[in-house]
Amino acid sequence: MDQDRRTPGRGPAPAVLPFDRFRDHLFHEPSLGLWLDVSRIRFGSDFFTTMEPRIQAALAEMAALEGGSIANPDEGRRVGHYWLRAPELAPEAALRAAIEETNARILSFAADVHAARVRPERAARFSRVLVVGIGGSALGPQFVASALGTPADRMQIHFFDNTDPDGIDRTLDAIGDDLGATLAVIISKSGGTKETRNGMLELEAAYRRLGLSLGAHAVAVTGEGSELDRFATKHGFLARFPMWDWVGGRTSELSAVGLLPAALQGLSIVEMLQGARETDEVTRSKEVPRNPAALLALAWYSATGGVGRKDMVLLPYKDRLELFSRYLQQLVMESLGKRLDRQGKEVFQGIAVYGNKGSTDQHAYVQQLRDGLDNFFVTFIEVLRDRAPSRGVLEVDPGVTTGDYLDGFLQGTRKALTESGRESITLTIDTVDARAVGMLIALYERAVGLYASLVGINAYHQPGVEAGKKAAQEVLDLQAKVLAALGASAGRALSLAEVAKAAGADDVETVFWILRHLAANPERGVVREVPQGGSPFDAKYRLAR
């Protein structure tokens, strides 16, 4: 069936849209400095009327979540990231007190670090921050650091956001002689996340090479009583901050996960929280034309048919927002990418997200967006303020600045896509500051939750992520058996089949991958011998003497 017939109120694809349509569907909230144009999504005149009962049900579900209802019945877990910026909404007084106390402790600790009341073992003060985390424990802090950071920040910030040894080495090289003046913020709710644990152990070894201890240079953000919490206590970390089970990783930026690194960097976490709080207030509105999160969710529904048939291409026309697409990839795709709906029926939902930045995108893939496969909708992000007023104005052509060109490229690309029948949304903000960043985070968090309700899935669990972790551990368990098999061969070289048999593995392909990786790193002690003229599958393996 044609997609237009599947989507309520789906309209045709006119090349030129009337101004009345733009005027009628342009959202503007002066108090936020936020504009949202969904007019170039091809919903028909009856779309909002048809969808009204469903979006009202979604808004009611969201209100229940904020009130403390269970979001994950299988885990008995609530979802409370909305309480982080409005602690008075927390369903229990103890939760409110915990949020307020944590935020106060973050500000106090950052002030102590900046004033050198908290200092490293040998250096006079901490001058750098190194965040060790993965997924939501890194993507949010990275986005905020990139969006708001300047060379004048109180502390320069770095990240271990993977278990890539070369990536870890590159970061340590960038820190260089300042490692002894670097404060590590190690983030893991359970403490068992392998990527984070590995980064922490690599960092511990780096400090040890300097004759320093990890504990004297580290703080932990983790769950109470977790593996990391116990490690931090044992090793004398400078401080520990909570990660609550009611805050998911992808919605944790406005918890200690993101607030602590931002405060250490010298950014205004108070303004960031305020921007999110004010946005939450606006996006609670039951009047859909006055609710930008509801408008976004409905626009996504129209564009994708409610079944994820189109990808979301994010094009922020501002360098400071370049990492926003990476941040939204996790928020949107981990929340919406689900095999089952709430009734256990297979639905294979999701919206793929990718993006670059304007106007780089025009020299990268806008050609395909305009003339290629129509399997996407674009979200343009416009920032009205070109640069800080103190920088002045430079005309690169008579009456034209570089910012005018950027705006022209945005409008030109938007128009060219419309002429080709391609759909787009345009989000406009006044400037990129801490308040605006908090606003963007809150807006998309709520839009994702509302969209999930519209399509009947649970946005707040991630069984696919856990499956991947389990499969990775199975590979590492098999690797141990492979090494044991080679060790028991008394120096005799074994074929791939012999190694697999000795390791008790039916999965010969995985054994091949393991051996290839080990042999490519001579320091691991596995020697790969390929007979002349033979294929990689004829190789034999042994441990180096």
Side-chain angles (χ1 to χ4, degrees):
M1 185 182 292
D2 183 83
Q3 180 179 331
D4 289 354
R5 297 176 184 171
R6 286 179 173 266
T7 307
R10 187 76 167 163
V16 179
L17 293 170
F19 177 74
D20 286 353
R21 182 179 174 91
F22 170 72
R23 181 193 61 197
D24 293 344
H25 294 291
L26 179 65
F27 168 90
H28 179 214
E29 178 51 58
S31 67
L32 294 177
L34 175 67
W35 307 71
L36 178 64
D37 170 30
V38 297
S39 66
R40 298 196 180 202
I41 297 294
R42 294 200 310 270
F43 47 78
S45 59
D46 63 338
F47 174 71
F48 287 99
T49 301
T50 303
M51 294 296 293
E52 179 69 11
R54 295 175 69 172
I55 192 62
Q56 289 301 326
L59 288 166
E61 283 189 3
M62 184 66 69
L65 279 180
E66 287 192 289
S69 69
I70 298 298
N72 285 331
D74 53 333
E75 300 173 344
R77 185 164 59 84
R78 297 182 293 189
V79 170
H81 49 273
Y82 301 105
W83 311 330
L84 296 170
R85 51 264 197 171
E88 70 276 10
L89 297 180
E92 291 97 30
L95 284 180
R96 173 177 181 170
I99 296 167
E100 292 174 341
E101 178 189 359
T102 297
N103 289 349
R105 284 185 58 219
I106 288 169
L107 289 169
S108 176
F109 181 79
D112 286 345
V113 170
H114 295 157
R117 291 187 291 268
V118 173
R119 53 193 297 176
E121 278 183 282
R122 291 204 293 261
R125 63 192 313 116
F126 285 112
S127 59
R128 296 177 185 261
V129 182
L130 173 57
V131 175
V132 183
I134 190 77
S137 298
L139 287 168
Q142 284 174 318
F143 161 57
V144 170
S146 175
L148 301 176
T150 73
D153 289 344
R154 299 297 298 267
M155 302 173 73
Q156 295 301 303
I157 193 164
H158 307 267
F159 294 88
F160 282 179
D161 64 346
N162 202 356
T163 187
D164 175 10
D166 182 59
I168 289 170
D169 291 344
R170 291 179 67 193
T171 300
L172 289 174
D173 289 344
I175 294 172
D177 294 338
D178 284 343
L179 183 61
T182 298
L183 177 64
V185 179
I186 301 168
I187 307 173
S188 174
K189 181 183 291 186
S190 68
T193 305
K194 299 304 183 185
E195 296 94 335
T196 304
R197 185 209 62 165
N198 294 352
M200 180 179 69
L201 296 178
E202 290 264 7
L203 183 58
E204 183 180 36
Y207 281 124
R208 191 184 304 121
R209 288 192 290 270
L210 297 178
L212 303 172
S213 68
L214 172 66
H217 300 81
V219 298
V221 180
T222 189
E224 183 177 357
S226 72
E227 183 179 331
L228 176 55
D229 194 37
R230 296 192 300 272
F231 183 94
T233 301
K234 179 180 177 181
H235 291 80
F237 277 29
L238 295 169
R240 290 171 290 137
F241 294 88
M243 283 186 77
W244 297 292
D245 63 358
W246 42 267
V247 178
R250 58 190 174 278
T251 54
S252 66
E253 173 55 27
L254 298 179
S255 72
V257 168
L259 297 181
L260 179 60
L264 290 167
Q265 192 177 346
L267 310 179
S268 176
I269 67 172
V270 172
E271 291 182 12
M272 195 156 60
L273 288 167
Q274 185 64 22
R277 179 190 182 96
E278 293 172 357
T279 304
D280 285 342
E281 292 169 358
V282 170
T283 56
R284 290 189 188 102
S285 175
K286 294 182 180 180
E287 297 182 44
V288 172
R290 301 304 312 151
N291 186 330
L295 289 172
L296 272 179
L298 287 166
W300 296 351
Y301 189 95
S302 176
T304 67
V307 292
R309 287 186 174 176
K310 289 193 174 183
D311 300 338
M312 182 190 304
V313 180
L314 196 75
L315 299 181
Y317 275 63
K318 182 63 70 174
D319 287 0
R320 285 187 176 275
L321 298 180
E322 182 178 10
L323 296 187
F324 193 43
S325 59
R326 287 180 58 191
Y327 171 76
L328 285 187
Q329 277 179 338
Q330 184 188 24
L331 177 63
V332 174
M333 296 176 72
E334 194 167 277
S335 298
L336 303 182
K338 302 295 162 63
R339 181 173 67 90
L340 304 177
D341 66 12
R342 296 177 187 175
Q343 285 71 46
K345 177 184 175 183
E346 281 195 340
V347 290
F348 298 104
Q349 274 284 0
I351 301 177
V353 179
Y354 63 94
N356 199 330
K357 65 176 182 180
S359 62
T360 300
D361 55 79
Q362 290 184 228
H363 301 272
Y365 53 76
V366 164
Q367 168 63 36
Q368 176 168 318
L369 298 187
R370 189 179 188 280
D371 294 342
L373 189 64
D374 185 11
N375 63 344
F376 66 92
F377 64 98
V378 168
T379 298
F380 294 100
I381 299 182
E382 177 189 25
V383 180
L384 295 177
R385 167 59 67 180
D386 287 340
R387 65 180 2 143
S390 60
R391 298 283 188 173
V393 176
L394 173 68
E395 293 185 356
V396 293
D397 284 319
V400 179
T401 69
T402 49
D404 296 336
Y405 267 108
L406 187 66
D407 182 65
F409 286 135
L410 186 157
Q411 292 192 51
T413 303
R414 179 171 173 267
K415 181 178 180 181
L417 292 180
T418 301
E419 290 173 347
S420 293
R422 311 305 164 93
E423 296 178 286
S424 68
I425 297 166
T426 302
L427 179 70
T428 301
I429 60 177
D430 287 347
T431 190
V432 179
D433 57 16
R435 182 170 172 268
V437 166
M439 176 178 67
L440 289 174
I441 290 170
L443 175 64
Y444 275 89
E445 283 179 350
R446 196 171 295 257
V448 165
L450 293 174
Y451 180 87
S453 295
L454 289 176
V455 301
I457 59 173
N458 187 337
Y460 305 108
H461 68 164
Q462 52 278 342
V465 175
E466 298 307 316
K469 291 179 180 178
K470 181 180 177 182
Q473 187 58 52
E474 289 172 354
V475 171
L476 293 173
D477 292 343
L478 179 54
Q479 177 175 298
K481 295 177 182 178
V482 165
L483 287 170
L486 292 175
S489 70
R492 183 172 64 90
L494 303 180
S495 68
L496 174 61
E498 289 173 328
V499 174
K501 181 177 180 180
D506 295 327
D507 186 356
V508 181
E509 180 179 333
T510 299
V511 174
F512 175 82
W513 276 65
I514 290 170
L515 288 168
R516 182 177 60 180
H517 173 248
L518 291 172
N521 294 274
E523 64 274 14
R524 304 302 300 277
V526 175
V527 177
R528 177 171 173 262
E529 301 170 346
V530 181
Q532 186 174 2
S535 81
F537 300 102
D538 297 323
K540 292 192 173 184
Y541 302 86
R542 60 178 174 81
L543 291 183
R545 293 185 179 87

